[in-house]
């Protein structure tokens, strides 16, 4: 195979390529594989938040509560039925 004389050939990406001893070499070389991603950079500053609207008017006061006694304090579970406290047992649970 005949050897060609060194000299510029077609331009690639604005750079001349050379043929030397049967091999094509470019001024920058053949690009290699992409490397791994670098570490994440620092977090940027927090963006601006929107303006808060005006506070609404105070609502009407609710009715006064009635006398609502506490359930017995004996370690059992109680619920209200018909205005009275009843102890929760297996027989008082719905099926």
């Amino acid at each position: 195979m005949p050897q060609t004389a060194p000299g510029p050939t077609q331009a690639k990406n604005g750079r001349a390529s050379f043929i030397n001893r049967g091999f094509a070499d470019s001024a920058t070389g053949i690009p290699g594989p992409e490397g791994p991603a670098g570490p994440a950079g620092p977090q940027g500053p927090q963006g601006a938040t929107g303006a808060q609207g005006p506070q609404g008017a105070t609502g009407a006061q609710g009715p006064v509560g009635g006398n609502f006694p506490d359930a017995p304090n004996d370690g059992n579970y109680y619920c209200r039925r018909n205005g009275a406290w009843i102890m929760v047992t297996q027989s008082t649970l719905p099926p």
Side-chain angles (χ1 to χ4, degrees):
M1 182 160 150
Q3 299 291 322
T4 60
T9 60
Q10 297 177 340
K12 293 181 181 178
N13 299 331
R15 299 177 192 268
S17 293
F18 296 90
I19 296 180
N20 189 3
R21 296 185 189 166
F23 296 101
D25 297 322
S26 71
T28 59
I30 299 172
E34 185 175 332
Q43 184 175 355
Q46 183 175 353
T49 57
Q52 185 174 351
Q55 183 174 349
T58 303
Q61 185 172 350
V64 177
N67 186 6
F68 192 75
D70 282 338
N73 189 5
D74 59 5
N76 294 312
Y77 292 99
Y78 289 88
C79 68
R80 297 284 287 179
R81 182 165 56 181
N82 298 328
W85 289 109
I86 61 165
M87 187 181 341
V88 177
T89 62
Q90 188 66 31
S91 62
T92 59
L93 295 175

